[in-house]
Short mmCIF file of all heavy atoms in Angstrom, two decimals:
data_model
loop_
_atom_site.label_atom_id
_atom_site.label_comp_id
_atom_site.label_asym_id
_atom_site.label_seq_id
_atom_site.Cartn_x
_atom_site.Cartn_y
_atom_site.Cartn_z
N SER A 1 -5.94 33.07 0.65
CA SER A 1 -6.37 31.92 -0.13
C SER A 1 -5.66 30.65 0.32
O SER A 1 -6.21 29.57 0.25
CB SER A 1 -6.17 32.16 -1.62
OG SER A 1 -4.80 32.23 -1.92
N ASN A 2 -4.40 30.76 0.76
CA ASN A 2 -3.69 29.58 1.26
C ASN A 2 -4.35 29.03 2.52
O ASN A 2 -4.44 27.83 2.70
CB ASN A 2 -2.23 29.91 1.54
CG ASN A 2 -1.43 30.05 0.27
OD1 ASN A 2 -1.85 29.58 -0.78
ND2 ASN A 2 -0.29 30.71 0.35
N ARG A 3 -4.79 29.94 3.40
CA ARG A 3 -5.49 29.48 4.61
C ARG A 3 -6.78 28.77 4.23
O ARG A 3 -7.11 27.75 4.80
CB ARG A 3 -5.80 30.66 5.52
CG ARG A 3 -4.69 30.97 6.44
CD ARG A 3 -5.15 31.92 7.51
NE ARG A 3 -4.05 32.80 7.78
CZ ARG A 3 -4.14 34.03 8.17
NH1 ARG A 3 -5.31 34.59 8.33
NH2 ARG A 3 -3.07 34.74 8.40
N ARG A 4 -7.52 29.35 3.28
CA ARG A 4 -8.78 28.75 2.86
C ARG A 4 -8.52 27.36 2.26
O ARG A 4 -9.22 26.41 2.55
CB ARG A 4 -9.47 29.64 1.83
CG ARG A 4 -10.81 29.10 1.41
CD ARG A 4 -11.56 30.15 0.59
NE ARG A 4 -12.86 29.64 0.27
CZ ARG A 4 -13.20 29.13 -0.90
NH1 ARG A 4 -12.33 29.09 -1.88
NH2 ARG A 4 -14.41 28.68 -1.11
N SER A 5 -7.50 27.23 1.41
CA SER A 5 -7.15 25.93 0.82
C SER A 5 -6.80 24.92 1.90
O SER A 5 -7.21 23.76 1.82
CB SER A 5 -5.96 26.07 -0.14
OG SER A 5 -6.30 26.90 -1.21
N SER A 6 -6.06 25.34 2.91
CA SER A 6 -5.69 24.44 4.00
C SER A 6 -6.93 23.95 4.74
O SER A 6 -7.03 22.79 5.11
CB SER A 6 -4.75 25.14 4.98
OG SER A 6 -3.56 25.46 4.33
N ARG A 7 -7.89 24.87 4.95
CA ARG A 7 -9.12 24.46 5.65
C ARG A 7 -9.93 23.49 4.80
O ARG A 7 -10.50 22.55 5.32
CB ARG A 7 -9.97 25.69 6.00
CG ARG A 7 -9.49 26.37 7.27
CD ARG A 7 -10.39 27.49 7.58
NE ARG A 7 -10.03 28.50 6.58
CZ ARG A 7 -10.58 29.68 6.44
NH1 ARG A 7 -11.57 30.04 7.18
NH2 ARG A 7 -10.17 30.53 5.53
N VAL A 8 -9.98 23.71 3.49
CA VAL A 8 -10.73 22.81 2.61
C VAL A 8 -10.09 21.42 2.63
O VAL A 8 -10.77 20.42 2.76
CB VAL A 8 -10.78 23.37 1.16
CG1 VAL A 8 -11.30 22.33 0.19
CG2 VAL A 8 -11.63 24.62 1.13
N ILE A 9 -8.77 21.38 2.54
CA ILE A 9 -8.06 20.09 2.59
C ILE A 9 -8.30 19.40 3.93
O ILE A 9 -8.61 18.22 3.98
CB ILE A 9 -6.54 20.29 2.33
CG1 ILE A 9 -6.34 20.68 0.87
CG2 ILE A 9 -5.77 19.02 2.66
CD1 ILE A 9 -4.95 21.16 0.55
N ALA A 10 -8.20 20.15 5.02
CA ALA A 10 -8.40 19.57 6.35
C ALA A 10 -9.83 19.05 6.50
O ALA A 10 -10.05 17.96 7.02
CB ALA A 10 -8.10 20.60 7.44
N SER A 11 -10.81 19.82 6.02
CA SER A 11 -12.19 19.36 6.17
C SER A 11 -12.48 18.16 5.27
O SER A 11 -13.22 17.28 5.64
CB SER A 11 -13.17 20.50 5.90
OG SER A 11 -13.12 20.88 4.55
N SER A 12 -11.89 18.11 4.07
CA SER A 12 -12.13 16.96 3.21
C SER A 12 -11.45 15.72 3.81
O SER A 12 -11.96 14.63 3.70
CB SER A 12 -11.68 17.21 1.78
OG SER A 12 -10.28 17.25 1.69
N SER A 13 -10.33 15.92 4.46
CA SER A 13 -9.68 14.79 5.13
C SER A 13 -10.55 14.28 6.26
O SER A 13 -10.68 13.07 6.45
CB SER A 13 -8.31 15.20 5.67
OG SER A 13 -7.45 15.52 4.61
N ALA A 14 -11.17 15.20 6.99
CA ALA A 14 -12.07 14.79 8.07
C ALA A 14 -13.28 14.06 7.49
O ALA A 14 -13.73 13.05 8.05
CB ALA A 14 -12.51 16.02 8.88
N ALA A 15 -13.80 14.56 6.38
CA ALA A 15 -14.95 13.91 5.75
C ALA A 15 -14.56 12.52 5.25
O ALA A 15 -15.33 11.56 5.41
CB ALA A 15 -15.47 14.76 4.59
N THR A 16 -13.38 12.40 4.68
CA THR A 16 -12.90 11.10 4.20
C THR A 16 -12.74 10.13 5.36
O THR A 16 -13.17 8.98 5.27
CB THR A 16 -11.56 11.27 3.46
OG1 THR A 16 -11.76 12.12 2.33
CG2 THR A 16 -11.01 9.94 2.99
N ARG A 17 -12.16 10.60 6.45
CA ARG A 17 -12.00 9.74 7.63
C ARG A 17 -13.36 9.31 8.17
O ARG A 17 -13.55 8.15 8.55
CB ARG A 17 -11.19 10.45 8.71
CG ARG A 17 -9.70 10.53 8.41
CD ARG A 17 -8.90 10.98 9.63
NE ARG A 17 -9.32 12.25 10.16
CZ ARG A 17 -8.86 13.44 9.76
NH1 ARG A 17 -7.97 13.51 8.79
NH2 ARG A 17 -9.30 14.55 10.31
N ALA A 18 -14.30 10.23 8.18
CA ALA A 18 -15.64 9.93 8.71
C ALA A 18 -16.35 8.88 7.86
O ALA A 18 -16.95 7.94 8.39
CB ALA A 18 -16.48 11.20 8.80
N VAL A 19 -16.30 9.03 6.54
CA VAL A 19 -16.99 8.07 5.68
C VAL A 19 -16.30 6.71 5.73
O VAL A 19 -16.96 5.67 5.68
CB VAL A 19 -17.17 8.60 4.24
CG1 VAL A 19 -15.90 8.52 3.43
CG2 VAL A 19 -18.30 7.88 3.54
N ARG A 20 -14.99 6.69 5.86
CA ARG A 20 -14.28 5.40 5.98
C ARG A 20 -14.64 4.72 7.30
O ARG A 20 -14.81 3.49 7.34
CB ARG A 20 -12.78 5.60 5.87
CG ARG A 20 -12.33 5.90 4.45
CD ARG A 20 -10.85 6.12 4.37
NE ARG A 20 -10.44 6.51 3.03
CZ ARG A 20 -9.24 6.93 2.74
NH1 ARG A 20 -8.30 7.02 3.68
NH2 ARG A 20 -8.93 7.27 1.50
N ALA A 21 -14.75 5.50 8.38
CA ALA A 21 -15.15 4.94 9.67
C ALA A 21 -16.57 4.37 9.57
O ALA A 21 -16.85 3.28 10.08
CB ALA A 21 -15.07 6.00 10.76
N ALA A 22 -17.45 5.09 8.89
CA ALA A 22 -18.82 4.61 8.70
C ALA A 22 -18.81 3.33 7.86
O ALA A 22 -19.60 2.41 8.11
CB ALA A 22 -19.66 5.68 8.03
N ALA A 23 -17.92 3.27 6.88
CA ALA A 23 -17.82 2.08 6.03
C ALA A 23 -17.39 0.87 6.86
O ALA A 23 -17.98 -0.21 6.73
CB ALA A 23 -16.84 2.33 4.88
N TRP A 24 -16.37 1.05 7.71
CA TRP A 24 -15.92 -0.06 8.56
C TRP A 24 -17.03 -0.52 9.48
O TRP A 24 -17.26 -1.73 9.62
CB TRP A 24 -14.69 0.34 9.38
CG TRP A 24 -13.42 0.30 8.60
CD1 TRP A 24 -12.63 1.35 8.25
CD2 TRP A 24 -12.78 -0.86 8.05
NE1 TRP A 24 -11.55 0.92 7.52
CE2 TRP A 24 -11.61 -0.43 7.39
CE3 TRP A 24 -13.09 -2.22 8.06
CZ2 TRP A 24 -10.76 -1.31 6.74
CZ3 TRP A 24 -12.23 -3.10 7.40
CH2 TRP A 24 -11.08 -2.64 6.76
N ALA A 25 -17.74 0.42 10.09
CA ALA A 25 -18.82 0.06 11.01
C ALA A 25 -19.94 -0.68 10.27
O ALA A 25 -20.45 -1.69 10.76
CB ALA A 25 -19.38 1.31 11.69
N ALA A 26 -20.30 -0.19 9.09
CA ALA A 26 -21.36 -0.83 8.30
C ALA A 26 -20.96 -2.24 7.87
O ALA A 26 -21.75 -3.17 7.93
CB ALA A 26 -21.70 0.03 7.09
N ALA A 27 -19.72 -2.36 7.41
CA ALA A 27 -19.23 -3.67 6.95
C ALA A 27 -19.18 -4.67 8.10
O ALA A 27 -19.57 -5.83 7.94
CB ALA A 27 -17.86 -3.53 6.30
N LYS A 28 -18.70 -4.21 9.24
CA LYS A 28 -18.60 -5.10 10.40
C LYS A 28 -19.97 -5.56 10.86
O LYS A 28 -20.17 -6.73 11.18
CB LYS A 28 -17.87 -4.39 11.54
CG LYS A 28 -17.64 -5.26 12.74
CD LYS A 28 -16.83 -4.54 13.80
CE LYS A 28 -16.65 -5.46 15.00
NZ LYS A 28 -15.89 -4.83 16.06
N ALA A 29 -20.93 -4.63 10.87
CA ALA A 29 -22.28 -4.96 11.33
C ALA A 29 -23.10 -5.68 10.28
O ALA A 29 -24.10 -6.32 10.60
CB ALA A 29 -23.00 -3.68 11.76
N GLY A 30 -22.71 -5.54 9.01
CA GLY A 30 -23.49 -6.13 7.93
C GLY A 30 -24.84 -5.44 7.79
O GLY A 30 -25.81 -6.04 7.33
N ASP A 31 -24.91 -4.19 8.17
CA ASP A 31 -26.13 -3.39 8.15
C ASP A 31 -26.39 -2.88 6.73
O ASP A 31 -25.70 -1.99 6.25
CB ASP A 31 -25.97 -2.23 9.14
CG ASP A 31 -27.17 -1.31 9.22
OD1 ASP A 31 -28.07 -1.39 8.36
OD2 ASP A 31 -27.19 -0.48 10.15
N SER A 32 -27.40 -3.42 6.07
CA SER A 32 -27.70 -3.08 4.67
C SER A 32 -27.95 -1.59 4.48
O SER A 32 -27.49 -1.00 3.50
CB SER A 32 -28.92 -3.86 4.17
OG SER A 32 -28.65 -5.22 4.19
N GLU A 33 -28.70 -0.99 5.37
CA GLU A 33 -29.00 0.44 5.24
C GLU A 33 -27.74 1.29 5.39
O GLU A 33 -27.53 2.24 4.64
CB GLU A 33 -30.06 0.86 6.25
CG GLU A 33 -31.43 0.30 5.92
CD GLU A 33 -32.48 0.71 6.94
OE1 GLU A 33 -32.27 1.67 7.71
OE2 GLU A 33 -33.54 0.05 6.95
N ALA A 34 -26.89 0.93 6.34
CA ALA A 34 -25.64 1.67 6.53
C ALA A 34 -24.70 1.47 5.34
O ALA A 34 -24.02 2.41 4.91
CB ALA A 34 -24.97 1.25 7.83
N LEU A 35 -24.66 0.26 4.80
CA LEU A 35 -23.84 -0.01 3.62
C LEU A 35 -24.31 0.85 2.44
O LEU A 35 -23.50 1.44 1.73
CB LEU A 35 -23.91 -1.49 3.24
CG LEU A 35 -23.24 -2.48 4.17
CD1 LEU A 35 -23.66 -3.91 3.84
CD2 LEU A 35 -21.73 -2.33 4.14
N LEU A 36 -25.63 0.95 2.28
CA LEU A 36 -26.18 1.75 1.18
C LEU A 36 -25.89 3.23 1.39
O LEU A 36 -25.59 3.94 0.43
CB LEU A 36 -27.68 1.50 1.06
CG LEU A 36 -28.36 2.14 -0.15
CD1 LEU A 36 -27.72 1.66 -1.45
CD2 LEU A 36 -29.84 1.82 -0.14
N ARG A 37 -25.93 3.70 2.64
CA ARG A 37 -25.59 5.11 2.91
C ARG A 37 -24.16 5.41 2.48
O ARG A 37 -23.88 6.44 1.89
CB ARG A 37 -25.80 5.45 4.38
CG ARG A 37 -27.23 5.75 4.75
CD ARG A 37 -27.35 6.38 6.13
NE ARG A 37 -26.84 5.55 7.20
CZ ARG A 37 -27.52 4.59 7.82
NH1 ARG A 37 -28.77 4.33 7.46
NH2 ARG A 37 -26.97 3.90 8.79
#
């Protein structure tokens, strides 16, 4: 269960990093559709 918890934390961190990167790209481009996503 500790290994599973570690993988969940690692994957959520990756998801958080990915959505933040998408946010920066959308904000920089001013792309309405990307901002809404």
Side-chain angles (χ1 to χ4, degrees):
S1 67
N2 285 342
R3 273 193 216 149
R4 183 170 183 259
S5 296
S6 296
R7 278 183 286 179
V8 169
I9 290 169
S11 67
S12 71
S13 295
T16 299
R17 285 192 303 272
V19 77
R20 286 179 184 170
W24 281 113
K28 184 176 179 180
D31 179 348
S32 297
E33 290 179 17
L35 291 167
L36 187 58
R37 279 193 300 275

